[in-house]
């Protein structure tokens, strides 16, 4: 079970924090609107891509409001050019975290970065959710020290979508690399957080949860996996998920589990292996279809179908790893995201904010706390019941 | 460093074992021919597939000789039908190991199985190498107790080919699942065994070795990986490989490392994730190319190119995981292999036997033993030099 000493709660469900006046000014929105904090810097394609994404998202959902963080001299002209003045509040931050910066450095001396400032807006309850396409390690480190871990969570996790044969078209996988280790109670927490995420992001009432292993037989794998297998079997009823047992690597894109749970080391390797394999096969296909005149003609005729296929596996459609287990929601967009990709990450962030995801996740995780440790556990089933929109 | 107590050597390089008379009769070949021990049972498609593979391999390489293990009543008619009488010696074994059998059970009471009998032929020096498409766990368990671990090897490994952008068209990856754990000295041993395998199976003089991790920066990952990083950096000169440092999941099919080293848990997940992703993308492609009349027509015109693409990624071409680190070579064919796939596994086994792979691997692994622990270390560099055919 997670250790109570590790936990602090200063988030949206903490009444003391809610009544504090924000030290950084008012949010730029009318009451009730969703406010999204944007780290405009740190991506491979610069603020043109992030603000381009804001412009797309603002066009699609005019009610959204944004707090955009970065150097004023760079961002102001872009905001004017994209006519975003009405929905964007600019917060000046001198520096950007680079992809080479080490998380420990950024934690010590990163207060003047756009990333830090973007997380601060969530901490101060000015914004409902933050989006960044910067350095993942630094973003997780800043999020951990500023937002703090949720009560009951020992190791936060990053959850991503995986294109799949499941009815929703996607599976959720976590942890994708927040931590290189996870013990059995961590894996159970991941199952609960993944369940909550699948309910709110994919609309699944009772997601199927699978535990990633080297075989589906119960006797296989490492000791912590056998222990987690027992814990998940016991927790599935109260946790609102169906435990389908061990799953293997080939089940990641299959219609077997909606939520796939693993440690962050394995999850990161699997994610990149899947991406690398898809890229490799796509490149070979492209080469094959340009290898002869006949093949080129065939490709021309099949172009409509091939384009639809491409759209189906377009990674930009599912852009956004979500940090789970903190007092506040943070969406990590891919570092190489263009405006379309960044807009997809904003859209995911907005959907989560609108559904009140943060409070629902907290209630679900509380289900795993030992009885009596926390008063919230009595309320948890009720709020968990209302978690899905279905 | 591996523990000397764990090691026993009774293999081809043990003169005492060589002079013992074989208790199970003579090999069916003239002196000098390569003899391959075949477990005819235990695959998904039965002995028709395995003996069909033997027939293909015998046609391609008439000098090969086979000892085939399984129930005489089933195999004799097949051998007659395929006219294999001249190159096959049949050894009766009552039972087959099934995919459901647990390794521990098979170790206790599997002496009358075709799998056990097939390994026994290698142990008795009747055959140079064994090939089986049966239960991987049981095959590794029998191989471990009958062939014993090579001096200097704490954890044996399974190595497989991975289709890639490297000049050879394949990368070697290990461990694919012999053991769910590996510490830093194990990972160094894998690097040496993978180097030897890449030299003998792919003809690479100085393979590039990469260590699988969640990032390429030196500070990333688990403690044992950082330790293995240091050990490989120091060992690359004497070990005959070029250490390219940490690699990530997306580098598995890339032109970055020829040999990718990881623990068997991660390797197994990565292998199956890659297979699952390739299958998923191929299925989507097939669906796209049959989704409309125009697409079907296009596919028809591009059929030649698409068939060549399919052949390129056909898993049957690279069929065969090799058990490394034992006193004897064992090739594990895919359980669902048909005759073509099983023939590919036999061809790999023959190539390894012809190159004297077993002795060369032993010499290379000896490089990692602490100086003075073993007399063989003085001879090692010389025999390692002659390891590749180039």
């Amino acid at each position: 079970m997670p250790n109570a000493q590790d936990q602090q709660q200063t988030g949206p469900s903490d009444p003391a924090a809610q009544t504090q006046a924000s030290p950084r000014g008012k949010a730029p929105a009318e009451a009730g609107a969703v406010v999204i904090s944007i780290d405009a810097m740190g991506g491979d394609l610069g603020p043109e891509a992030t603000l381009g994404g804001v412009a797309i998202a603002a066009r699609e959902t005019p009610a959204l409001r944004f707090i955009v963080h970065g150097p004023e001299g760079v961002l102001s002209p872009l905001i004017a050019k994209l006519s975003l003045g009405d929905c964007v509040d600019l917060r000046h931050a001198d520096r950007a975290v680079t992809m080479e910066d080490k998380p420990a450095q950024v934690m010590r001396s990163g207060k003047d970065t756009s990333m830090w400032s973007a997380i601060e807006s969530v901490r101060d309850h000015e914004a409902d959710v933050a989006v960044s396409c910067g350095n993942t390690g630094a973003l997780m480190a800043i999020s951990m020290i500023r937002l703090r871990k949720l009560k009951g969570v020992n190791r936060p996790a990053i959850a991503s979508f995986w294109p799949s044969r499941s009815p929703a078209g996607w599976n959720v996988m976590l942890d994708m690399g927040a931590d290189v280790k996870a013990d059995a109670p961590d894996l159970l927490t991941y199952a609960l957080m993944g369940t909550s995420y699948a309910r709110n992001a994919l609309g699944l009432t009772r997601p199927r949860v699978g535990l990633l292993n080297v075989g589906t037989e119960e006797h296989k794998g490492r000791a912590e996996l056998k222990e987690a297998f027992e814990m998940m079997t016991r927790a599935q009823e109260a946790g609102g998920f169906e435990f389908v047992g061990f799953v293997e690597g080939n089940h990641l894109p299959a219609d077997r589990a909606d939520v796939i749970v693993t440690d962050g080391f394995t999850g990161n390797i699997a994610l990149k292996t899947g991406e690398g394999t898809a890229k490799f096969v796509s490149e070979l296909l492209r080469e094959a279809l340009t290898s002869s005149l006949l093949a080129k003609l065939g490709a021309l005729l099949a172009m409509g179908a091939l384009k639809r296929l491409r759209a189906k596996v377009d990674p930009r459609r599912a852009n956004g790893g979500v940090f789970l287990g903190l007092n506040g929601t943070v969406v990590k967009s891919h570092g190489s995201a263009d405006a379309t990709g960044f807009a997809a990450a904003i859209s995911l962030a907005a959907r989560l904010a609108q559904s009140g995801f943060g409070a629902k996740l907290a209630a679900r995780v509380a289900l795993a706390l030992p009885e009596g440790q926390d008063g919230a556990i009595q309320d948890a089933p009720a709020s968990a019941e209302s978690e899905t929109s279905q």
Side-chain angles (χ1 to χ4, degrees), chain A:
Chain A
M1 279 292 127
N3 191 328
Q5 280 116 281
D6 285 345
Q7 297 140 18
Q8 266 191 273
Q9 193 165 18
T10 55
S13 57
D14 182 347
Q18 299 240 359
T19 54
Q20 279 170 3
S22 161
R24 313 178 89 241
K26 288 202 307 182
E30 57 264 43
V34 166
V35 181
I36 300 176
S37 176
I38 304 283
D39 172 12
M41 313 303 289
D44 299 345
L45 302 180
E48 286 78 8
T50 51
L51 284 177
V54 169
I56 295 172
R59 221 164 28 238
E60 281 173 2
T61 317
L64 294 180
R65 294 293 172 267
F66 303 90
I67 309 177
V68 170
H69 306 258
E72 196 170 352
V74 175
L75 299 184
S76 273
L78 276 170
I79 290 171
K81 190 177 150 199
L82 293 163
S83 311
L84 289 171
D86 286 349
C87 62
V88 161
D89 185 12
L90 175 61
R91 292 287 159 78
H92 176 71
D94 269 333
R95 287 198 304 137
V97 173
T98 70
M99 290 296 175
E100 289 70 41
D101 286 338
K102 294 193 180 168
Q105 276 174 349
V106 177
M107 277 167 79
R108 273 196 309 273
S109 57
K111 289 199 177 57
D112 57 348
T113 62
S114 58
M115 186 184 277
W116 189 292
S117 183
I119 297 298
E120 213 63 22
S121 282
V122 173
R123 181 186 155 94
D124 294 341
H125 309 296
E126 290 183 302
D128 301 289
V129 53
V131 184
S132 172
C133 55
N135 181 323
T136 308
L139 185 62
M140 180 52 93
I142 294 175
S143 301
M144 291 260 277
I145 53 166
R146 298 311 292 160
L147 302 179
R148 298 281 173 178
K149 289 186 279 183
L150 204 61
K151 201 178 193 91
V153 173
N154 181 34
R155 288 188 165 94
I158 304 174
S160 293
F161 291 122
W162 195 285
S164 81
R165 290 273 174 197
S166 291
W170 304 99
N171 294 332
V172 169
M173 184 161 165
L174 73 168
D175 172 26
M176 290 309 212
D179 201 312
V180 292
K181 283 184 195 164
D183 58 20
D186 295 328
L187 294 168
L188 175 59
T189 305
Y190 294 174
L192 293 166
M193 297 198 302
T195 295
S196 189
Y197 186 51
R199 288 168 74 111
N200 287 281
L202 297 177
L204 302 172
T205 312
R206 188 175 152 81
R208 298 164 297 172
V209 172
L211 184 57
L212 191 61
N213 199 355
V214 296
T216 54
E217 304 88 346
E218 279 187 45
H219 66 278
K220 288 241 176 166
R222 295 173 172 165
E224 70 267 26
L225 291 177
K226 293 172 204 166
E227 194 189 338
F229 186 103
E230 297 303 321
M231 293 175 82
M232 289 184 193
T233 303
R234 286 194 304 269
Q236 58 182 330
E237 201 58 47
F241 61 89
E242 178 195 344
F243 182 49
V244 298
F246 289 137
V247 296
E248 300 183 72
N250 50 311
H251 296 133
L252 297 182
D255 181 14
R256 178 115 169 191
D258 305 298
V259 175
I260 290 136
V261 169
T262 187
D263 67 89
F265 185 87
T266 311
N268 183 285
I269 302 272
L271 174 71
K272 290 177 183 163
T273 300
E275 285 178 350
T277 305
K279 184 165 164 271
F280 179 66
V281 175
S282 304
E283 284 172 3
L284 291 181
L285 176 65
R286 195 173 312 120
E287 286 166 21
L289 292 179
T290 53
S291 62
S292 70
L293 203 63
L294 215 56
K296 279 181 197 170
L297 188 61
L300 201 67
L301 291 178
M303 187 177 282
L306 291 172
K307 273 193 176 162
R308 282 193 299 277
L309 164 66
R310 199 175 175 170
K312 216 174 201 169
V313 295
D314 185 352
R316 297 181 306 173
R317 276 182 63 225
N319 184 32
V322 175
F323 292 4
L324 303 177
L326 302 166
N327 291 296
T329 305
V330 178
V331 174
K332 164 67 175 78
S333 159
H334 206 288
S336 62
D338 59 7
T340 308
F342 200 74
I346 293 176
S347 154
L348 171 64
R351 212 154 65 242
L352 293 173
Q354 274 153 357
S355 76
F357 172 59
K360 288 172 181 170
L361 178 90
R364 188 159 296 272
V365 167
L367 292 171
L369 292 177
E371 226 169 313
Q373 185 180 320
D374 180 54
I377 200 165
Q378 280 100 42
D379 311 323
S383 42
E385 279 309 306
S386 64
E387 189 181 321
T388 178
S389 52
Q390 295 191 320

